[in-house]
Amino acid sequence: MMRAFFRPLDDDDMATYSTSEFKSGLKIMLDGDPYSIIENEFVKPGKGQAFNRVRVRNLKNGRVIEKTFKSGESVEAADVVETDMQYLYNDGEYSHFMHPETFEQFTADATAVGDAAKWIKEQDVCMVTLWNGHPIGVTPPNFVVLTITETDPGVRGDTSGGGGKPATLETGAVVRVPLFVQTGEAVKVDTRTGTYVSRAKE
Amino acid sequence: MTTGADWSPAAGREVLAARARLLGQVRRYFAAAGVLEVETPLLSFAGATDPALASLATRYSGPAAPHGAALYLQTSPEHAMKRLLAADSGPIYQICRAFRDGERGRRHNPEFTLLEWYRPGFALSALIDEVVGLLHEVLPERLREERVSYAQAFGRTLGLDPHRADAAALRAAATRAGVPGAGELALPTRDAWLDLLMTHCIEPGFDPRAITVVLDYPASQAALARVRPGDPPVAERFEVYAGGMELANGFHELTDAAEQRRRFAADNARRRAEGLPEMPVDARLLAALDAGLPDCSGVALGVDRLLMLAVGARDIADVLAFPLERA
């Protein structure tokens, strides 16, 4: 099983990290939820107690919080794996993903898929975040190519792109596109900012 | 495992030049003031007993120790310099490396440069004047100066008395002040809670464009300072903050050998209680105190942080040729 393969190597079932191991990207458990460390600061008076002040992101809901630890404390490691998977389909309630090498399939609910639902099509390869083997997050590719299903005809010959107009894409997402881009055309979109990049080449 | 790709210095040429200039200014200042520059060993058979300081250790084998002996890298040159003072050195200063295990961060490197000096016959206030005078001399911009007692700093920011509040009250104050996770923190002592409040609530409130001197520390944080009897008794200790950083720590030095012996024993008792290794007590320092340390005040100032302030660096790595990761 893939899970066993990716698990941190530890004799104990519960792996832990000491504050000395803290760095951005480390996955830890706090109050029963998995978090990723964004920033870690070591704070110590010359003659006194040392602390680690961290900013962490909740991997289930994206919320960022701060936390203070006494240096030297240990924190439970979160069994979190980020892995590329192919998006298969949505059955109306769940989205289905497949690991490209093991062919193991995973189902993710709408909360886990989040905003990625706006950008991904069947067959797209996404980064799926697994916690204890279950998807809790989906990151779409940075750039996707999607076909416009609806946009105002706009004015022919206007290539300035200054104003732009809303366009609905095949996934349902709405992005602003230049006036010269028409329904039926494929466009390249940056999913991190939700902005139009260019017309896709045929 | 390193590939060596990070062989080049972290600090730029102009910062290295600023460091050299700063060291020159400091040496000229003390030469003019008639303070003698000294050097003492970085390696000692005795280590720091203070539970908040972790000494790095190494081993020497050879003549004088044919079977090998543990040696500690100094956490500060305090003990050796006090032995010089007890031998009538007169006023002395030293620029040296100090070492502290476990300390690496935006303002910490396990190996760093200390400027430490001692003034026989100086009251604490006279030494503070000298520290502030030196800062004015070496910093490019003249900073406003503020002196505040530890109790005043806590009173005005948190509305509590740091000499009397118990650990539960200090935890409650941290929670009220929004220190994240204060509710679940397990800290070993009341002083650790004071440290949490100092670093998370008080220090961030100091004007970064001012030199803030904090005076009259809790007697429980006296370290090697005298305690002035009173209600409450306070440690004759000060700290200097500027640019949002702790820059210097000074004492009206403890000269009472019996009291020093008690504090070393108390440090080791706390080490045992916290599961930390006990440290060999510095018998030579105690003997020097027995022989007679002149009444004096002394201070240690972090040179790397002073340089950060002088050049406007945000990270200590920006003022070190080779911080830990490139050492």
Side-chain angles (χ1 to χ4, degrees), chain A residues 30-56:
Chain A
L30 295 175
D31 305 323
D33 274 357
Y35 284 82
S36 177
I37 294 179
I38 303 168
E39 216 179 298
N40 167 45
E41 184 163 29
F42 177 76
V43 180
K44 184 185 184 300
K47 303 218 176 263
Q49 178 67 50
F51 301 98
N52 285 70
R53 199 156 56 195
V54 296
R55 287 178 67 225
V56 289

Side-chain angles (χ1 to χ4, degrees), chain B residues 29-272:
Chain B
Y29 178 90
F30 285 113
V35 180
L36 182 70
E37 179 165 15
V38 296
E39 289 190 352
T40 55
L42 301 188
L43 291 170
S44 169
F45 293 109
T49 55
D50 187 336
L53 297 176
S55 299
L56 285 159
T58 186
R59 263 195 100 66
Y60 168 79
S61 309
H67 306 296
L71 283 167
Y72 296 95
L73 285 153
Q74 65 177 8
T75 57
S76 88
E78 182 155 2
H79 293 190
M81 290 181 81
K82 283 181 173 170
R83 286 164 60 193
L84 291 177
L85 290 157
D88 295 325
S89 65
I92 49 173
Y93 81 98
Q94 175 160 206
I95 298 169
C96 63
R97 290 304 176 98
F99 304 83
R100 295 181 186 181
D101 196 15
E103 301 191 7
R104 178 74 183 102
R106 198 161 63 77
R107 294 190 291 262
H108 294 82
N109 195 62
E111 171 182 0
F112 59 102
T113 303
L114 265 185
L115 162 63
E116 183 148 328
W117 76 96
Y118 290 86
R119 287 294 212 162
F122 268 41
L124 210 51
S125 58
L127 184 62
I128 293 171
D129 290 343
E130 186 163 59
V131 174
V132 173
L134 179 65
L135 291 181
H136 285 324
E137 185 124 338
V138 301
L139 290 175
E141 161 180 10
R142 196 176 174 86
L143 303 179
R144 186 172 69 74
E145 188 203 335
E146 184 192 19
R147 296 190 192 189
V148 59
S149 77
Y150 194 88
Q152 285 167 340
F154 274 71
R156 72 185 183 190
T157 309
L158 298 165
L160 64 80
D161 178 352
H163 298 291
R164 292 184 175 87
D166 63 12
L170 298 174
R171 178 200 293 272
T175 306
R176 269 199 312 279
V179 175
E184 305 97 75
L185 260 179
L187 296 180
T189 58
R190 203 182 81 87
D191 284 312
W193 283 104
L194 289 173
D195 290 337
L196 177 76
L197 292 168
M198 189 69 185
T199 51
H200 285 65
C201 305
I202 312 281
E203 266 186 58
F206 293 154
D207 179 358
R209 315 299 319 152
I211 297 167
T212 305
V213 182
V214 181
L215 299 146
D216 296 343
Y217 274 66
S220 53
Q221 297 183 21
L224 279 73
R226 290 186 197 209
V227 171
R228 190 169 67 236
D231 184 26
V234 292
E236 292 190 277
R237 170 183 168 194
F238 68 91
E239 292 245 9
V240 180
Y241 294 87
M245 290 182 290
E246 180 189 349
L247 275 189
N249 176 45
F251 301 145
H252 185 195
E253 302 293 346
L254 181 67
T255 53
D256 178 344
E259 171 63 13
Q260 184 64 70
R261 211 168 258 121
R262 272 194 295 277
R263 290 193 196 175
F264 280 156
D267 280 350
N268 269 331
R270 243 189 75 203
R271 284 181 162 270
R272 272 194 303 280

Side-chain angles (χ1 to χ4, degrees), chain A residues 84-121:
Chain A
D84 283 343
M85 289 195 202
Q86 194 171 50
Y87 172 48
L88 299 178
Y89 62 96
N90 181 286
D91 64 14
E93 191 174 357
Y94 295 102
S95 295
H96 297 258
F97 295 84
M98 184 178 72
H99 192 275
E101 278 145 37
T102 65
F103 306 112
E104 193 182 353
Q105 291 194 18
F106 295 84
T107 56
D109 61 19
T111 314
V113 179
D115 273 357
K118 280 164 52 179
W119 307 116
I120 57 176
K121 284 190 310 182

